[in-house]
Amino acid sequence: QLSFVESGGGLARPGGSLRLSCTTPRNSSRKFLNFYDVGWFRTAPGKADEGVSCIGTGSGSTAYADSVKGRFTVARDSEKKIIYLQMDNLKPDDAGVYYCASEGSCDEYLTWKTYPSRHQGTQVTVTS
C-alpha cells in the first residue's frame, strides 16, 4: 500500500489555473508508483468527498468527474514518478483539499474507500 504526498495547491482566481503534484514520500516506494492506478480526490467543509480524476498504469487511461471534464487534466510522469493534476478554468466550487489515493482500479475509483482524514493533501482556494 502506497502513501502519497501532494503539493502545488494555493490561491487562484476564478478562471485561473493550478497544477498539483502527487508522489510518494519515500524514495524506496517511489519506484512502484508506475504500477498503481492513482486517483485525485477532494474534500471540502459541508460537501461530500468527491473523486475528481484517475489515471491508470501502462497506457495511462484516464477518468474524470463530470464536474471537471474539459477543465482538468491528469498526467503521469513515469520517469519522475509524479502524478499531475492540471486544473484550468477554476471555479469557486473547485476549492478544497486535494489528495491522492490508490485503492484499486480506476474503473472503480469512485467507489474507493479513501479516508480523507488520513491524507495531508494540498489546499486549493478559488476566490476573487
Side-chain angles (χ1 to χ4, degrees):
Q1 195 75 14
L2 292 181
S3 59
F4 298 94
V5 59
E6 303 86 358
S7 61
L11 177 65
R13 297 187 183 278
S17 298
L18 287 171
R19 188 178 76 162
L20 308 183
S21 299
C22 166
T23 188
T24 59
R26 299 181 183 84
N27 287 332
S28 59
S29 58
R30 197 162 298 162
K31 60 186 176 182
F32 299 111
L33 184 58
N34 289 344
F35 300 106
Y36 286 78
D37 289 10
V38 177
W40 281 98
F41 299 80
R42 64 187 180 192
T43 184
K47 292 186 178 181
D49 298 332
E50 182 179 12
V52 174
S53 182
C54 193
I55 187 164
T57 61
S59 61
S61 60
T62 58
Y64 298 93
D66 288 343
S67 59
V68 306
K69 277 181 183 175
R71 301 188 298 120
F72 289 12
T73 304
V74 63
R76 182 192 297 268
D77 187 324
S78 298
E79 184 172 346
K80 294 182 178 178
K81 312 295 189 295
I82 299 175
I83 308 294
Y84 297 104
L85 184 68
Q86 177 67 41
M87 306 189 298
D88 298 318
N89 191 19
L90 283 162
K91 302 178 180 180
D93 281 349
D94 294 320
V97 175
Y98 285 69
Y99 63 93
C100 298
S102 182
E103 299 291 340
S105 167
C106 279
D107 291 343
E108 301 174 330
Y109 85 104
L110 295 177
T111 66
W112 290 357
K113 300 293 185 185
T114 59
Y115 303 101
S117 62
R118 298 181 182 177
H119 300 267
Q120 179 175 341
T122 185
Q123 177 73 50
V124 170
T125 303
V126 184
T127 181
S128 54

